[in-house]
């Protein structure tokens, strides 16, 4: 039985406001995506944990663990009202203080609203990629607004057909709106998900965009809705194809090493994680939601290098030199 979502927007937000309409889109997407992933897993179910914040807003945390396919999968909805420190604004958007909608005095905070749906899914089988998405809407009380988000994939082993399917699904979505969006957002993902201290990408990309308000709000809302609708289509066929493949202990160890890279990126570079951690001091952060993206298991080996000519070396070369799919 699908539970009815109760809006966490403030009563002062008009029924037809973009705040409420974006919240409705991500609430429906959360239900649909969790249902698709539960059907794929065939075992575990997502828990459901609603929560509220004293400053207004709240969220719904949905987490699945120890399933047939997934080690851990989370799909978290968040509605936030607060006073944003300038360093948090810098983390939230590439343009930083420019998004305040006016000149800021030193130490001045920015009243803001944010709503988003964020997910990370970590399968058990090394041949099943990790998948992440996040779609969000920001407003400042001074009138600035923008959309951000994207969907990306992180395999441990290279399957070019899988990558063509994943990227092709999102190219189709982008092309409906602007033929320049997919190449732009794909390149943006390759740049954003770079682990700079390693000189390699976290995974094999997808799409990523931020500070997006080039079109009217209706167009951006519809694009976010269609991108969210595309998540099961882009991801589930890859899981179904690879979920029952046999694997060795060495292949599992490689997956755990790549999970370690995932942790490094998320804790050092990920804008959403950094924003959430910086907001903890303002009383609107929630640590379990902020760190939901981390896998249950990861590994680090000293000075590890894959063997030349191995499947592990093959994908490592692509992590170091992003490709077109």
């Amino acid at each position: 039985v699908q539970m009815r979502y109760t809006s966490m927007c403030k009563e002062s937000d008009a029924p037809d406001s973009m705040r409420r309409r974006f919240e409705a889109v991500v609430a429906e997407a959360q239900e649909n995506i969790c249902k698709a992933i539960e059907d794929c897993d065939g075992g575990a179910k997502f828990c459901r944990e609603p929560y509220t914040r004293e400053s207004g807003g709240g969220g719904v945390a949905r987490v699945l663990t120890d399933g047939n396919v997934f080690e851990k999968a989370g799909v978290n909805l968040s509605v936030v009202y607060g006073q944003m420190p300038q360093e948090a604004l810098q983390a939230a958007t590439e343009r930083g203080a420019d998004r305040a909608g006016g000149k800021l005095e030193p130490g001045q905070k920015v009243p803001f609203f944010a709503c988003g749906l964020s997910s990370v899914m970590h399968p058990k089988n090394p041949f099943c990629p990790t998948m992440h998405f996040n779609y969000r809407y920001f407003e400042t009380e001074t009138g600035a607004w923008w959309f951000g988000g994207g969907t990306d994939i992180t395999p441990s082993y290279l399957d070019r057909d899988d990558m063509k399917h994943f990227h092709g699904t999102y190219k189709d979505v982008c092309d409906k709106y602007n033929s320049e969006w997919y190449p732009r957002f794909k390149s943006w993902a390759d740049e954003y998900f770079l682990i700079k201290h390693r000189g390699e990408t976290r995974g094999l990309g997808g799409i990523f965009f931020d500070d997006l308000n080039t079109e009217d709000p209706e167009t951006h809302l519809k694009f976010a809705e269609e991108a969210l609708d595309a998540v099961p289509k882009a991801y589930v066929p890859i899981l179904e194809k690879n979920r029952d493949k046999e694997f060795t202990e060495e292949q599992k160890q490689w997956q755990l090493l790549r999970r370690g890279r995932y942790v490094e990126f998320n804790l050092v570079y990920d804008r959403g994680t950094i924003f959430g951690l910086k907001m903890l001091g303002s009383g609107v952060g929630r640590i379990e939601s902020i760190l939901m993206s981390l896998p249950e298991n990861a590994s680090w080996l000293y000075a590890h290098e894959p063997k030349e000519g191995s499947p592990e070396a093959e994908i490592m070369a692509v992590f170091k030199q992003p490709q077109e799919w």
Side-chain angles (χ1 to χ4, degrees):
V1 178
Q2 181 171 315
M3 297 184 65
R4 182 176 176 82
Y5 177 80
T6 301
S7 175
M8 296 189 180
C9 288
K10 291 182 176 179
E11 291 185 4
S12 56
D13 293 331
D16 61 347
S17 66
M18 185 54 64
R19 296 180 178 192
R20 287 193 183 273
R21 295 177 63 203
F22 187 84
E23 181 197 30
V25 164
V26 296
E28 182 175 2
Q30 184 183 44
E31 290 298 329
N32 293 341
I33 292 169
C34 287
K35 177 63 165 58
I37 294 303
E38 285 180 348
D39 290 347
C40 173
D41 188 87
K45 299 291 186 181
F46 282 90
C47 69
R48 182 185 184 91
E49 184 184 0
Y51 59 92
T52 58
R53 297 184 174 93
E54 290 185 6
S55 59
V60 180
R62 303 290 306 274
V63 180
L64 177 155
T65 58
D66 195 24
N68 293 332
V69 174
F70 291 96
E71 172 187 287
K72 178 184 178 184
V75 187
N76 285 358
L77 188 159
S78 181
V79 176
V80 183
Y81 296 82
Q83 300 282 329
M84 195 186 319
Q86 292 182 38
E87 60 269 23
L89 181 61
Q90 191 68 47
T93 168
E94 284 202 340
R95 288 172 57 178
D98 288 350
R99 283 301 193 204
K103 181 177 175 59
L104 295 176
E105 299 299 327
Q108 181 182 352
K109 294 184 178 181
V110 182
F112 77 102
F113 166 88
C115 178
L117 187 68
S118 181
S119 173
V120 179
M121 302 187 184
H122 295 293
K124 292 180 175 180
N125 193 305
F127 295 105
C128 288
T130 288
M131 188 275 302
H132 158 263
F133 70 80
N134 176 283
Y135 291 88
R136 56 194 179 271
Y137 173 68
F138 272 82
E139 280 186 13
T140 65
E141 294 294 339
T142 49
W145 62 268
W146 67 95
F147 291 78
T151 308
D152 63 279
I153 195 161
T154 304
S156 298
Y157 288 93
L158 180 60
D159 185 315
R160 293 184 181 276
D161 289 338
D162 289 349
M163 294 306 100
K164 289 177 181 177
H165 168 76
F166 183 85
H167 280 264
T169 301
Y170 276 95
K171 183 179 186 300
D172 289 345
V173 174
C174 291
D175 284 352
K176 290 178 63 175
Y177 292 85
N178 188 321
S179 62
E180 296 180 357
W181 278 8
Y182 173 75
R184 177 187 171 195
F185 296 168
K186 191 269 182 189
S187 296
W188 207 338
D190 291 338
E191 295 167 4
Y192 177 77
F193 291 109
L194 177 66
I195 308 173
K196 298 179 180 67
H197 61 271
R198 296 282 190 181
E200 65 194 55
T201 55
R202 184 178 77 175
L204 297 185
I207 61 169
F208 176 85
F209 61 93
D210 200 4
D211 298 309
L212 199 65
N213 62 1
T214 56
E215 316 297 323
D216 61 274
E218 293 292 332
T219 299
H220 290 307
L221 176 66
K222 188 63 178 174
F223 174 69
E225 184 175 14
E226 292 200 39
L228 283 163
D229 288 345
V231 168
K233 179 182 176 182
Y235 188 42
V236 171
I238 297 173
L239 297 171
E240 297 290 2
K241 173 183 171 181
N242 296 294
R243 60 182 290 170
D244 295 323
K245 285 185 176 179
E246 294 184 359
F247 57 88
T248 66
E249 183 60 37
E250 290 76 15
Q251 289 166 332
K252 184 66 179 178
Q253 181 61 50
W254 174 249
Q255 181 195 43
L256 293 176
L257 286 170
R258 295 310 307 174
R259 293 269 171 85
R261 297 293 205 270
Y262 208 93
V263 171
E264 289 179 27
F265 176 86
N266 282 31
L267 293 182
V268 178
Y269 302 111
D270 182 70
R271 193 170 295 153
T273 303
I274 294 169
F275 172 75
L277 292 173
K278 289 184 180 296
M279 289 304 298
L280 284 174
S282 299
V284 298
R286 184 175 184 268
I287 193 64
E288 291 299 327
S289 296
I290 296 167
L291 300 182
M292 178 273 296
S293 64
L294 301 182
E296 290 188 353
N297 298 289
S299 180
W300 287 262
L301 295 178
Y302 180 74
H304 180 272
E305 293 290 340
K307 293 180 181 179
E308 186 175 350
S310 67
E312 292 81 8
E314 177 188 28
I315 196 168
M316 180 60 80
V318 184
F319 291 145
K320 292 180 178 295
Q321 185 61 53
Q323 299 183 13
E324 299 299 322
W325 304 104

